[in-house]
Amino acid sequence: MRTPVVAEARPTHTLAGDLLDRARRHGARHAVEFTIGDGRWSTVTYAELAGRAAALARVLPAAGTGDRPRFVLIMLPNGLDYVVSVYACLLAGVVAVPFYPPSVLTARTARVFSQRLQEIHRDCAPDVVVLAEDQAGFVADALAPAYRDGSGPVLITAGELPAAVDPAGVAVRAGGADLAVLQYTSGSTRTPSGVMLSHDNLVANVRALAAKTSAAEGEAAVSWLPLFHDLGLIGMLFGAVHAGMTLHLTTPAAFVRRPMLWLEMIDRARACLTMAPNFAFDLAARASGRSDRRLDLSSLRLAVNGAEPVRHSTVAAFTSALRDWGLRPSAVVPGYGLAEATLSVTVGDYRRPPRLLRVCADRLRRDGVAVPPGDDDAVTVLVGCGTDVVDTESVIVDPDRLTPCPPGTVGEVWVTGPGVAGGYWGQPERSAATFRPGPADDRRRFVRTGDLGVKIDSTLYLVGRVKDMIIQRGVNHCPQDVEYAAECAHPALRPGGTVVFGTEPDGSGPVVVLCELERYLGGPAYPAILASVRAALAEEFGLDIATVGLVRKGQVPKTTSGKVRRRASAQRWREDGFTVLARSPAAVG
């Protein structure tokens, strides 16, 4: 197609304005290169992206309903059409609602997907849904009960997306304070809620992240992260376009099928930047050990490890496995963030290895303080998630007294800054409880994250979540630590596939540990595996475990970013929804 000639647009302080500016200044540069992992690539330049987004933006305002914001649900797979659709929303001044279609539509995934779609529809009632052709009938049927009068959202399939127009004179139809994205939380602890992000929120956080990563014009970035997730959408896509980089993109399914693809893409693109959750680094490290290829990863300035707890063993294994391929020891950079702060709160320094804090395990669990261990003390290693990004401040607060914690004391992480979201769409009471004035006399607006952490020398170390802690005999046990110890107890257990929870609705009650098997094994092997898990947890934590169970791979509920869903697991357990291959103690009766 002919590359559109882009005239100067009205100056704006929005990400859509960034796109128009980039298209004007270097329209021929590739904005995104995409592959499904089969060796074939499709590309869109900055000028083409601006032209295609401008064409779709002209269609979207017709779906408006009075003064209410217009919501556009984007439920496409990773690809160029998703990129075009989200930038069209930003240009048009309508609210993008990132969503996802199931990669495989089985009876189970159809039921889960339909339920999630209906939940989001009840929450924001999208005016437009942009979707793949083969999903149109399913979506229409799923939403039909809500529109018995035959009305409903306008469905635009990928095949109906308009061709690029000349965006000369195109203006962004939104101000900085206007709602830009409704980012639904992944639901690791509760029913998903729509976080309201303004254009100002997005710009502030993307700029702050760029300052931490030194993202520069003309560089390359690589991502397989889903574009409906904040790390993939804001951290990778918005961040790359804002900086004038080229984003080399694939799909989550392609990465999971072949984790080496991620590393090969970094090598091919000479990429400087990538981001992923902790489990991805585990998968890639193991895959590299089975590969006979030799890659060059020396271009990689930093790989941000975020979206789930960062394990020091993972960082060490990844850097060790890829050292011979030119990976710098300090390239893996832990980070911390959440949707309610747009994305990034803290990021580590790529010029130095991650900070590791060795603390006395007993004092951390019993007293909630991070102090050096004695010679005979058990040790817990906390991974530093870096320091605050620009214009953002994280503070540690006593969650009960709502006062600042003394240095070195564990408390709830509160965050303030220009990235703090406007609240939850349609949930004023929950918004007021989560987004509130600061501790003591601090009148700035903060978000209560629900995460427990400690700050030492300005570095944030995460400990767990307030509502997930397992408390026995007055001792606090972080479930992530228990899960990691359990899965390390036997080689047959799948990394990242263990969940621990209390069986009561409030998280209390008898403690259950469920472990996914890496592969199916015969029954005679199970007693030894169960005994290994029990012994490891008794030795390290002294926990009373009511039940240890083994389940098949994929049984443990997870969020879209790979975090285990402990409350959902507990509910499924109460409903007898797990197929348990073996348990200890054995079920009676």
Side-chain angles (χ1 to χ4, degrees):
M1 60 176 280
R2 181 180 66 86
T3 300
V5 178
V6 182
E8 182 144 4
R10 174 172 61 89
T12 59
H13 295 287
T14 66
L15 297 182
D18 284 343
L19 172 61
L20 295 177
D21 179 62
R22 293 290 176 189
R24 176 182 58 81
R25 293 196 289 120
H26 39 242
R29 177 182 296 162
H30 287 183
V32 181
E33 298 186 9
F34 174 74
T35 182
I36 59 172
D38 60 357
R40 294 177 295 176
W41 292 81
S42 54
T43 65
V44 63
T45 66
Y46 275 92
E48 290 166 351
L49 177 55
R52 291 182 61 184
L56 180 55
R58 292 179 180 180
V59 176
L60 297 179
T65 54
D67 295 332
R68 181 181 177 276
R70 290 183 296 270
F71 294 100
V72 177
L73 189 70
I74 305 173
M75 49 169 292
L76 294 165
N78 268 27
L80 301 185
D81 289 336
Y82 205 118
V83 176
V84 168
S85 299
V86 74
Y87 271 100
C89 292
L90 299 180
L91 278 171
V94 300
V95 183
V97 185
F99 193 49
Y100 62 98
S103 55
V104 179
L105 201 61
T106 64
R108 180 180 175 276
T109 59
R111 182 175 65 256
V112 173
F113 173 63
S114 179
Q115 179 183 354
R116 173 85 173 189
L117 179 62
Q118 290 166 1
E119 287 176 352
I120 289 180
H121 172 264
R122 283 192 294 269
D123 197 54
C124 72
D127 302 281
V128 178
V129 180
V130 185
L131 72 173
E133 288 87 347
D134 60 359
Q135 300 286 334
F138 177 81
V139 169
D141 291 342
L143 297 181
Y147 296 101
R148 301 190 183 280
D149 60 355
S151 63
V154 175
L155 302 186
I156 301 177
T157 66
E160 296 170 330
L161 296 179
V165 299
D166 183 349
V170 167
V172 181
R173 295 195 293 270
D178 292 337
L179 190 57
V181 172
L182 196 63
Q183 182 69 53
Y184 278 88
T185 56
S186 55
S188 60
T189 57
R190 59 167 65 238
T191 300
S193 300
V195 179
M196 298 187 291
L197 301 177
S198 69
H199 290 269
D200 282 344
N201 288 147
L202 295 174
V203 169
N205 205 248
V206 166
R207 286 178 175 172
L209 185 57
K212 277 282 191 177
T213 61
S214 299
E217 189 174 292
E219 291 185 332
V222 164
S223 178
W224 55 264
L225 295 168
L227 291 175
F228 63 80
H229 189 268
D230 51 7
L231 193 60
L233 179 67
I234 301 170
M236 293 306 306
L237 176 60
F238 290 168
V241 173
H242 167 78
M245 306 173 81
T246 297
L247 176 63
H248 299 254
L249 179 69
T250 188
T251 68
F255 165 73
V256 172
R257 280 196 305 270
R258 199 168 68 84
M260 275 293 294
L261 175 63
W262 182 29
L263 305 180
E264 292 166 3
M265 288 171 63
I266 295 170
D267 172 67
R268 171 187 178 272
R270 308 305 302 141
C272 300
L273 173 65
T274 191
M275 301 179 186
N278 190 83
F279 80 88
F281 292 87
D282 274 327
L283 290 179
R286 292 201 298 272
S288 70
R290 299 189 295 267
S291 175
D292 56 4
R293 292 194 58 182
R294 182 173 180 85
L295 304 178
D296 181 1
L297 304 182
S298 61
S299 65
L300 190 62
R301 182 167 58 247
L302 75 166
V304 178
N305 184 336
E308 65 182 28
V310 179
R311 292 174 174 170
H312 68 92
S313 59
T314 298
V315 175
F318 185 82
T319 54
S320 175
L322 305 182
R323 183 182 298 113
D324 289 344
W325 290 354
L327 183 74
R328 294 183 307 102
S330 61
V332 180
V333 175
Y336 167 69
L338 66 163
E340 288 84 349
T342 302
L343 175 64
S344 296
V345 174
T346 65
V347 178
D349 186 342
Y350 64 84
R351 295 164 298 186
R352 300 177 180 85
R355 290 190 175 185
L356 301 179
L357 185 67
R358 291 168 51 84
V359 300
C360 174
D362 185 62
R363 292 293 308 278
L364 184 69
R365 295 168 190 160
R366 290 185 180 277
D367 305 325
V369 293
V371 297
D375 293 340
D376 299 325
D377 289 336
V379 174
T380 291
V381 179
L382 302 178
V383 179
C385 292
T387 56
D388 297 335
V389 298
V390 177
D391 296 327
T392 295
E393 183 181 353
S394 60
V395 299
I396 308 301
V397 179
D398 185 309
D400 299 318
R401 298 184 178 89
L402 305 184
T403 55
C405 289
T409 301
V410 174
E412 184 182 6
V413 181
W414 289 26
V415 178
T416 187
V420 172
Y424 301 107
W425 173 258
Q427 299 184 43
E429 292 184 1
R430 187 183 173 205
S431 295
T434 304
F435 300 87
R436 50 158 294 145
D441 296 327
D442 193 334
R443 308 314 298 169
R444 293 176 296 173
R445 188 167 178 271
F446 282 76
V447 57
R448 298 186 62 169
T449 69
D451 293 315
L452 291 173
V454 59
K455 288 190 82 169
I456 296 177
D457 296 332
S458 300
T459 296
L460 177 65
Y461 300 84
L462 294 180
V463 176
R465 283 194 62 81
V466 173
K467 295 182 179 179
D468 285 347
M469 296 300 287
I470 300 168
I471 304 174
Q472 283 191 354
R473 296 184 290 275
V475 178
N476 295 320
H477 300 277
C478 176
Q480 290 93 339
D481 293 342
V482 178
E483 289 157 358
Y484 182 62
E487 69 189 37
C488 291
H490 197 283
L493 300 179
R494 185 187 185 199
T498 295
V499 62
V500 57
F501 53 85
T503 55
E504 297 300 322
D506 63 357
S508 63
V511 176
V512 173
V513 178
L514 295 180
C515 305
E516 291 182 348
L517 292 169
E518 185 67 76
R519 62 188 183 279
Y520 182 72
L521 299 171
Y526 296 151
I529 299 173
L530 293 169
S532 295
V533 173
R534 279 198 172 277
L537 299 186
E539 179 180 351
E540 185 164 348
F541 302 100
L543 274 170
D544 293 331
I545 306 294
T547 302
V548 177
L550 302 179
V551 297
R552 294 181 187 270
K553 187 188 309 185
Q555 281 273 297
V556 172
K558 293 186 177 181
T559 71
T560 54
S561 61
K563 292 179 283 191
V564 296
R565 301 181 63 196
R566 297 183 185 88
R567 293 191 180 186
S569 298
Q571 181 175 343
R572 183 181 294 184
W573 178 265
R574 292 193 296 271
E575 296 171 350
D576 200 24
F578 284 101
T579 301
V580 180
L581 301 174
R583 68 181 75 198
S584 169
V588 179

